Amino acid sequence: MATWKVAPTLTTGCAAILKPSKLASVTCLELADICKESKMKRIGIDTEALKEHFGKKIMELEEEKRKVQKSQDVHGQKLKALEAQILDLKKKQENQVQLLKQKEKSEETAKKLQAEIQYIKAQKVQLQHKMKQEAEQLRQWKASREKELLQLKRFA
């Protein structure tokens, strides 16, 4: 019970008087031993020493805070640079995907055109063959007509 009342007083830097009765628990004696070990004065605490101590601590913490803020700034800049690189890579990836799609379309078109060329070549060959046949038939027809003409001239 004594520690609940004395500890907050001591932590705020105030003086405290603890006079336990003869029937008090052992915790009061332990608290007194702790106070002796921590070199507290029996009458009050040296507030100037505490101010100096906490002033140093505050300065150290402020310096640490500045260092952390600087490192956060550096990390923030690195993060922004990395995010910009990621965006650039995503754009490049999208462009690559579009190029691949265009390549596939071009290849499909090339295949269709190649098939059409083959079909046209086959038709050309067929037409050339047909032209030869028709030329041969025409030659034979002319030859047979000339024979008929010669026979008609002989009989006439």
Side-chain angles (χ1 to χ4, degrees):
M1 190 74 163
T3 56
W4 287 19
K5 295 188 181 208
V6 173
T9 306
L10 293 177
T11 56
T12 58
C14 296
I17 297 174
L18 178 63
K19 185 175 180 184
S21 71
K22 293 182 181 179
L23 301 174
S25 63
V26 177
T27 56
C28 288
L29 296 175
E30 286 294 320
L31 182 60
D33 289 340
I34 292 172
C35 289
K36 285 179 187 175
E37 288 175 11
S38 65
K39 297 181 182 177
M40 287 185 167
K41 294 181 181 178
R42 286 192 163 190
I43 303 172
I45 298 175
D46 187 8
T47 56
E48 289 301 318
L50 283 176
K51 282 182 183 179
E52 184 180 324
H53 172 73
F54 287 116
K56 287 180 184 177
K57 283 292 184 184
I58 289 172
M59 295 296 283
E60 289 173 6
L61 290 174
E62 286 177 354
E63 183 63 30
E64 184 72 23
K65 179 182 172 183
R66 278 189 229 112
K67 287 179 183 178
V68 169
Q69 285 176 341
K70 285 180 184 177
S71 67
Q72 283 178 345
D73 291 342
V74 170
H75 291 303
Q77 290 172 354
K78 286 181 182 179
L79 181 63
K80 286 179 183 177
L82 290 174
E83 286 174 346
Q85 286 179 350
I86 288 171
L87 287 175
D88 187 44
L89 289 174
K90 283 183 180 180
K91 286 179 183 177
K92 287 180 181 180
Q93 183 183 22
E94 289 174 8
N95 289 339
Q96 187 70 20
V97 168
Q98 288 176 354
L99 287 174
L100 288 174
K101 287 180 181 178
Q102 288 177 350
K103 181 182 175 186
E104 288 176 5
K105 287 180 182 179
S106 297
E107 287 176 353
E108 287 178 21
T109 305
K111 285 180 183 179
K112 287 178 183 178
L113 290 173
Q114 201 65 353
E116 193 173 325
I117 289 171
Q118 292 299 326
Y119 177 73
I120 291 172
K121 284 182 179 180
Q123 281 184 333
K124 177 184 168 186
V125 170
Q126 288 177 353
L127 286 173
Q128 286 175 341
H129 184 64
K130 189 175 181 180
M131 285 174 48
K132 284 182 183 178
Q133 285 178 347
E134 288 178 359
E136 183 62 30
Q137 285 177 355
L138 180 63
R139 189 188 61 76
Q140 288 176 356
W141 179 77
K142 281 185 180 180
S144 68
R145 291 290 164 222
E146 283 192 29
K147 279 184 188 179
E148 284 180 20
L149 246 152
L150 284 177
Q151 285 179 0
L152 284 174
K153 283 186 184 179
R154 281 189 199 166
F155 288 119

